[in-house]
Structures are given as structure tokens and as C-alpha cells.
Amino acid sequence: MRRLPVYILIQTSGAMRGEPIESIKVGLEAMVASLRQDPFALESVYMSLITFNRTPEQLLPLTELENLQIPTIQQPTSAGTHLGEALEFLCKKVEAEVQLSTPDRKGDWSPLLFIMCDGRASDIQLFNQILPEVKRRNFGSIIACSVGSKTDVENLKKITDQIVSLDTTDSSTFRQFFKWVSASVSIGNRSIGATSDLVLPPPPPEVHTVI
Amino acid sequence: MEENSVTPPLNDISNDKVANDAFALQIKNKSISLPNGKVNQQYCIPFTFEQLGIEDINDFWFDGLENIGLKYNPDTSEISGNPTVAGDHKIKLSIKRKDWTENKPIFERELVLVINHDPKSLWKEIPTPTDTEYYKPDSAKQFLKVEASTGFLKFGKEFRKDIVVASQRGRSHAHEGKARDDDFGVAYDKGNQWYIMSVADGAGSAKSSRRGSEIVCKTFVEVCQSQLSTQHENFEHLIKEFSKETSDANRKKLGDTLYSIVGAGVFKAYKNIEEEAQKSGKPIKDFSTTLIVSICKKFKFGWFVGAFWVGDGAIGIYNKETQFLKLLGESDSGEFAGQTRFLTMPEITQPAELYRRLRFDIVPDFTALILMTDGISDPKFETDANLMKIEKWNELWTDLLQMVTFADDNELAAGQLLKWLDFWSPGNHDDRTIAILY
């Protein structure tokens, strides 16, 4: 069976404290519930959840949707936003967890990455160093969602050209976003092949495309 | 616990309250999770407080298990049953402490038990709207009957191989009411007795690939028919020479002529896509498709089989009796699943590359010559290495025999083969097309 690895990277530093992180939790639950309604996702999606502030942490190693239970995301306390370190950590996880095709083994679908953060990187030097590494992982698609009022979109643009921003950080907006994410994941399952660009469904009105 | 050790002595009632509060906190904060279940799949997990490291329990029970088909069995300490309802179910766990009496608190904890749908039950079968651009039926089948030749005074009756083909839209397309991207084409020329076969798989991500696969299969068969009608005498002469002596010179001459027939068919197939792209104002990439083709004919010394293959899927000559297998090319696969090459990629139709992908052989006989798209090769062979293993082809053939009667002139075989294509394999729901000469 071929797996579709989905990585979700969430910033949990001080800026996300309160409503944003609560909304993300609600959104994640809604997304998983909706993916569970999709037979293709049930048979192929493997999901990993990585949070980061001063240090990155993999709350959920790559787990098949069928057995997945959403872990508890703690309220942020730490101040640092080490986006560079988080991406470096992510690359290592992808390296270890995603299977490439060999003559004797069927490879995974190319992985999808969703990043939710304010785009700021306290470790800007490492961040710039790690960007080529991220590109080398050949993600089927990378979608960045800028959260918060003081975002650094320029940084996000270095990671991907698919950037969305949310009007507000209440739970219904996040639910819309994650619903869209799950639709994108469902499509990611089927449309990889002739082209490397994933054609995503149009985002809902609450989600704005940045560029 | 450290806090307890510094707790000053209290009277019984407040002592009890402290213990209860501590217990309530323990219950609230303890990580208690129930593994996910699946509808109609036996669920059985052990549940004890010992395993959770919680002591001093008098009694406990669950609310919410029965209505989803589960129950807790105190004798075996297991939650078990056959889940009937999918969803995120809220289960209430109620607990009495060891010295519980009337009016003392009962502690509660809400758990979430996820019961997944059986994916099989979620697949929808939505017919493709007939006004879809480049519409094609959701399934297709064909039996190409080549009747036995009758010799002088009906003596020496010779059976001739037939072709059976079936193509079925995959569940992932059916689920969204999208059209089949696969296609096929077959022909037999009564005059020169050549068989021509092709199967193609339009890329899932390319918008008009169903038209691409249709164009290439149709074009290939047409071009080969016309090429063979003019070239077959010279071609057959070279085949006979090669059968007598497999020298490099003979191989080269035969290869070059095969190139002028099969290569011409493949190249024209590409040109016709180019033309369609220009006419419709769409990029060629939109018509991306794989292509596997073969031409063959029976001679006194055996069967000549020529082939061309670009993309995934497979083509093989299989002989059950002699356990002979010959794969007529190589599968194009990338580092990730679903990545492959397409006829529409500019490098493929370069003469050298086209030539490199040609294969031919002369074999005494075979049980079946099989062409298939990845909708079948992925679930049945899984890896490229397995395509080379005769055991896997044996399994495939045994599996086919369960549902298809490969008897001479059995026209029912087409329907049987189409039915066979409905086999279940988790995660493999691509379009499926198979063409068999037997």
C-alpha cells in the first residue's frame, strides 16, 4: 500500500498563546474528522505533527490516519521562534520516515507540508541555510498559513509560493482552513504524476491567498 | 507522594476530602486513551486500572459503549465487540473509590473512542456525466475472436489465439464522477495474420489525458495495420532469417524494420496528440499518457512478439507450462509513487530513445501475452523487482483463472475479465486495463 505522508508544522511560541492555539486544535480535529470520511485518505494518509518554539518537537510521528489520535498541544510559554531549527528537524524526520521507491519497495506518494506560523525566524541564519534542504525533499506541495497580526510574509515566500493568511484566528476560520487543507490532501492523493505542481481547490473566502 | 508526606494530620472527613481531590486530579490528568476501531472489524483491547497505574478502585463502568456495539467484560478485563457506528464517540468512564459508600462522590472521565468507517463502504459510484469533454464510457471490453482455420477436408484444424481486453474506471474516479483515463486498442488482420494490441493510461493529473490515451491507442493500431499491409512480406522474411540465425546483423535488420512499423505507430501517436493540443489550444502536457503496445504473429518456428513500452504498467510473455517469463521492457518509475514517464515528454520520441524502448523475441509458444496498466500491476506486483518474478505471474494467472475461462473463441471471457477487474486492494483504486492474447 502506498502512503501519502502529510507533515503539519505548527508554531507554539508565545505569539500563538490563547485563541490562536485553541483554534488550531479545533481545526486539527475537524480536519482529521473530515479526512476520515474520505476512503482514499483512510487507506493512504499518514500524518505527522511537529510543533516548535525555541525547540522543535514531534508530537506525533508519522501515523496512519486510521490509528491516529490527535496529541495534546500545550499552551505556548516559550518566547523563541526557531523556524530554521524546526525546518531542519522536519527535514531529518522526512529523511527517516518517508520511503522512496527502490526495486524492492514501493515508495510513498511525495509528501505534503503545511506550516502554520507567523513567518518570523529568530534563527534567521540557520533558516536561510536550511531552505535548499527543504527544496531538496521534493514535497508534493508546501502550503504556508500565516497566523497572527505581525507576520513576516517575506520569510514564508522563501519557503513556498503557496501562502494563505487568515482573517481572524477564531475557531470557525481555522475550521475552514483545515477543511480546505483536507480537501487538498485528498487531491494530493490522486493528482501527482505528469506535473509536479499540485492543483489545489480554491481556498474558502476566510482564507486569503498572499502574493 | 511528597505533598502527602508534609500534610499535617487531619480529621477523617477532611482527610477524605484531600484524598478525593487528589484522586479526582489524578483521574483528570491521567492519559487514558482507547485505540481506534473500525466498523465491522472485531475490536478487543484490555482495560485495567493497574496498567494505568491507578490504585484503590472499588468499581467502574462505561457509558456509551453498548450503542456502538461494544461492551466491557469484567471477567476478561476487555472492551470488545463488533463496532457498528463510525464516528468520534464520547464514552463516559465512572469510577468509585475503594471505600465508596452512598453519598460519596463518583468520579467521571470523558474518553473519545474513534470508530473509523470501513473504507469500502465510503466509495461512491457516480456515473461520468455524458456531456463531459472527451467523454468515454466508464468501462469497456472487447473480445477479438480469431476463428480456427480449417485445413483440407476439415483435417488439420488449427486453433488460433484470441484477444480479450477489459478496461474499468478506478474507484478514485468513480468516487468523484470523473471519467476513465485508461484506454486500449486491438486488431487482427485476417490477410497477413498479424495481431496488434495497445493499452494506455492517461496521467491522473493531466486534464485531458483520457483523450490522450484514446488517441495513442487508436493511432497506433491504425498506423501498424497500414505499415504491416505494405511491409509484412519483407518484415516476415527478416523474422525467418533471424529465426535461423540470431546474428547481430540479422538482429539489426529486423530491429530497424520493427522500428519502421512499431516506431512509426508510436511516433504518429505522439504527433496526433500534438495536433489535438494545437487544435484545442491546450498544452501537450494536458494529454499526458503512458503507452504499451505489441505486434505479434505465429510462424512455423514459433511466435514473433515485438513491443514498445513507455511509463508504468507491464507487458510480459508468460508460459505456464514451461514457467517461461519475458518482460518486454522496463517500468519507468520515479523515487515517489505515481511518478513515471509519458509518451508526451519531449525526450521519449527522440529516435534513439524510441529505438531503445523497442523489444522483440521469438518464442515457441505462450500461455498468454499480457499488457496491463498500473491499476493492475501496482496491486498485483507491487514493486518493479516483482515484475521479473515468475511466481508473481503465476499468482496473477491463477487469480485470473478463478473468474475467466480462457477457452478458444469464448466470447464470454470479455465480460468475465471486466468483472475480475473489480478486485479489492486497499489503496489501489486507479483505472485498470488489461489486454490478453491467449
Side-chain angles (χ1 to χ4, degrees):
Chain A
M1 194 170 95
R2 296 176 289 183
R3 313 182 306 169
L4 174 67
V6 178
Y7 283 85
I8 299 176
L9 190 61
I10 297 174
Q11 177 184 337
T12 55
S13 53
M16 305 288 272
R17 185 202 289 272
E19 195 187 33
I21 204 75
E22 286 305 321
S23 302
I24 285 177
K25 285 192 209 171
V26 173
L28 266 179
E29 277 169 26
M31 171 177 83
V32 169
S34 119
L35 281 177
R36 285 202 168 104
Q37 303 294 320
D38 176 349
F40 215 98
L42 263 182
E43 291 180 357
S44 58
V45 167
Y46 276 64
M47 198 178 287
S48 170
L49 194 61
I50 296 171
T51 58
F52 71 99
N53 38 57
R54 204 182 294 277
T55 50
E57 187 189 356
Q58 190 176 34
L59 290 190
L60 181 74
L62 206 56
T63 305
E64 60 182 320
L65 183 59
E66 201 171 279
N67 296 327
L68 183 147
Q69 306 204 335
I70 300 170
T72 316
I73 300 174
Q74 300 297 340
Q75 271 292 340
T77 48
S78 157
T81 308
H82 290 192
L83 181 56
E85 205 178 322
L87 291 171
E88 186 181 37
F89 181 78
L90 168 84
C91 285
K92 279 189 193 140
K93 290 295 168 192
V94 170
E95 193 83 41
E97 294 174 335
V98 176
Q99 297 177 356
L100 300 180
S101 288
T102 69
D104 302 304
R105 191 178 65 191
K106 199 84 206 175
D108 294 332
W109 296 105
S110 59
L112 306 180
L113 171 61
F114 296 92
I115 306 174
M116 312 198 72
C117 64
D118 61 15
R120 283 183 290 179
S122 340
D123 55 347
I124 191 72
Q125 206 175 345
L126 178 63
F127 172 77
N128 285 321
Q129 270 172 24
I130 205 71
L131 288 171
E133 282 296 309
V134 176
K135 292 265 184 293
R136 207 169 302 149
R137 293 299 176 280
N138 286 320
F139 286 100
S141 190
I142 301 178
I143 295 170
C145 172
S146 72
V147 185
S149 48
K150 297 184 205 109
T151 58
D152 188 339
V153 178
E154 288 312 308
N155 268 345
L156 294 178
K157 280 184 186 166
K158 291 180 191 165
I159 307 173
T160 177
D161 51 12
Q162 302 192 77
I163 304 166
V164 297
S165 74
L166 304 180
D167 274 349
T168 52
T169 51
D170 60 85
S171 64
S172 79
T173 303
F174 270 82
R175 205 193 292 263
Q176 285 301 320
F177 171 71
F178 277 107
K179 213 175 134 190
W180 177 63
V181 168
S182 68
S184 308
V185 168
S186 293
I187 284 192
N189 253 322
R190 300 171 245 264
S191 63
I192 300 157
T195 127
S196 53
D197 329 313
L198 196 62
V199 186
L200 298 172
E206 294 84 349
V207 179
H208 298 282
T209 308
V210 178
I211 284 304
Chain B
M1 305 228 323
E2 270 181 54
E3 287 155 29
N4 285 349
S5 63
V6 291
T7 306
L10 292 160
N11 62 41
D12 277 359
I13 295 166
S14 61
N15 208 352
D16 209 38
K17 179 172 172 356
V18 168
N20 278 340
D21 286 352
F23 187 79
L25 199 65
Q26 193 187 13
I27 294 297
K28 178 171 169 257
N29 291 336
K30 192 79 200 176
S31 159
I32 309 174
S33 64
L34 302 172
N36 301 350
K38 191 163 150 185
V39 169
N40 283 332
Q41 186 176 303
Q42 189 60 34
Y43 186 85
C44 184
I45 58 130
F47 186 93
T48 62
F49 278 95
E50 286 81 55
Q51 83 196 24
L52 292 169
I54 300 175
E55 293 166 347
D56 303 340
I57 306 284
N58 164 288
D59 188 20
F60 68 92
W61 63 95
F62 294 94
D63 290 301
L65 287 178
E66 267 83 6
N67 46 0
I68 56 170
L70 297 173
K71 64 176 206 184
Y72 176 74
N73 181 344
D75 298 332
T76 56
S77 303
E78 284 169 347
I79 298 172
S80 65
N82 210 356
T84 49
V85 189
D88 292 11
H89 301 292
K90 302 224 182 317
I91 308 294
K92 194 168 85 183
L93 170 60
S94 305
I95 307 160
K96 289 177 184 170
R97 285 192 65 209
K98 60 176 177 188
D99 47 4
W100 189 85
T101 51
E102 205 65 44
N103 297 327
K104 284 195 178 182
I106 294 172
F107 301 89
E108 289 177 356
R109 166 75 188 265
E110 191 181 82
L111 306 173
V112 174
L113 172 56
V114 176
I115 301 296
N116 287 304
H117 286 278
D118 179 352
K120 277 190 194 181
S121 69
L122 291 176
W123 289 108
K124 286 183 258 176
E125 171 77 46
I126 305 169
T128 306
T130 46
D131 58 355
T132 301
E133 190 186 23
Y134 305 132
Y135 172 83
K136 68 171 82 164
D138 295 335
S139 68
K141 61 184 196 302
Q142 190 178 344
F143 189 84
L144 207 158
K145 186 159 93 173
V146 181
E147 283 178 40
S149 67
T150 40
F152 179 64
L153 293 173
K154 303 220 170 179
F155 287 114
K157 188 175 179 186
E158 193 191 345
F159 292 104
R160 299 252 168 94
K161 288 192 197 296
D162 303 314
I163 298 176
V164 59
V165 206
S167 181
Q168 173 69 55
R169 177 176 70 150
R171 288 184 194 93
S172 55
H173 282 147
H175 192 66
E176 298 179 316
K178 290 194 175 153
R180 174 167 56 103
D181 287 336
D182 276 11
D183 223 306
F184 66 85
V186 290
Y188 175 76
D189 189 312
K190 276 186 185 155
N192 58 37
Q193 300 178 358
W194 277 92
Y195 294 86
I196 305 170
M197 306 162 80
S198 61
V199 301
D201 171 11
S205 54
K207 284 183 222 101
S208 308
S209 66
R210 59 184 168 283
R211 178 73 178 138
S213 62
E214 187 185 336
I215 290 173
V216 294
C217 286
K218 204 168 149 234
T219 308
F220 177 78
V221 171
E222 281 169 9
V223 173
C224 275
Q225 273 180 314
S226 99
Q227 288 292 324
L228 282 166
S229 69
T230 56
Q231 291 202 54
H232 76 98
E233 279 169 6
N234 173 47
F235 187 43
E236 287 166 17
H237 169 73
L238 292 172
I239 292 169
K240 280 169 198 156
E241 290 301 307
F242 180 73
S243 76
K244 282 183 218 151
E245 196 198 342
T246 55
S247 65
D248 284 352
N250 280 347
R251 180 180 294 278
K252 173 86 173 103
K253 273 189 266 178
L254 181 52
D256 287 357
T257 312
L258 182 69
Y259 178 77
S260 74
I261 298 166
V262 171
V266 171
F267 189 70
K268 181 70 174 147
Y270 171 76
K271 291 309 266 183
N272 280 356
I273 284 190
E274 208 176 51
E275 197 188 310
E276 176 79 28
Q278 271 168 4
K279 248 192 337 202
S280 60
K282 294 182 173 122
I284 290 183
K285 214 168 65 171
D286 279 7
F287 298 88
S288 296
T289 179
T290 69
L291 180 62
I292 302 177
V293 301
S294 178
I295 58 169
C296 30
K297 179 174 174 168
K298 190 183 180 189
F299 294 87
K300 286 203 183 84
F301 46 82
W303 280 83
F304 173 87
V305 183
F308 173 90
W309 173 2
V310 58
D312 40 24
I315 171 169
I317 309 173
Y318 169 70
N319 191 321
K320 190 184 169 189
E321 280 68 43
T322 60
Q323 288 292 287
F324 171 86
L325 166 70
K326 176 149 181 162
L327 207 60
L328 294 169
E330 288 158 16
S331 175
D332 290 303
S333 41
E335 58 178 2
F336 292 114
Q339 292 177 330
T340 189
R341 290 205 169 77
F342 299 103
L343 181 66
T344 35
M345 290 175 167
E347 66 270 23
I348 303 297
T349 39
Q350 298 303 312
E353 179 64 15
L354 237 162
Y355 200 100
R356 191 185 70 77
R357 289 172 179 270
L358 287 176
R359 294 286 186 284
F360 64 85
D361 202 358
I362 295 172
V363 295
D365 197 6
F366 52 82
T367 310
L369 170 66
I370 305 179
L371 285 68
M372 62 186 122
T373 60
D374 68 334
I376 295 166
S377 60
D378 274 351
K380 295 298 179 190
F381 292 88
E382 289 160 357
T383 66
D384 290 351
N386 281 345
L387 280 175
M388 318 285 282
K389 292 183 185 150
I390 185 79
E391 305 85 52
K392 285 282 166 187
W393 288 82
N394 286 335
E395 282 170 27
L396 174 68
W397 191 249
T398 311
D399 194 41
L400 279 163
L401 286 175
Q402 307 267 328
M403 291 181 73
V404 188
T405 309
F406 291 100
D408 190 41
D409 298 345
N410 174 28
E411 292 181 53
L412 294 174
Q416 295 165 345
L417 190 61
L418 185 61
K419 229 175 200 170
W420 176 82
L421 287 182
D422 199 34
F423 64 82
W424 183 263
S425 170
N428 292 305
H429 306 293
D430 206 351
D431 296 347
R432 295 169 177 168
T433 302
I434 187 166
I436 304 172
L437 172 67
Y438 71 96

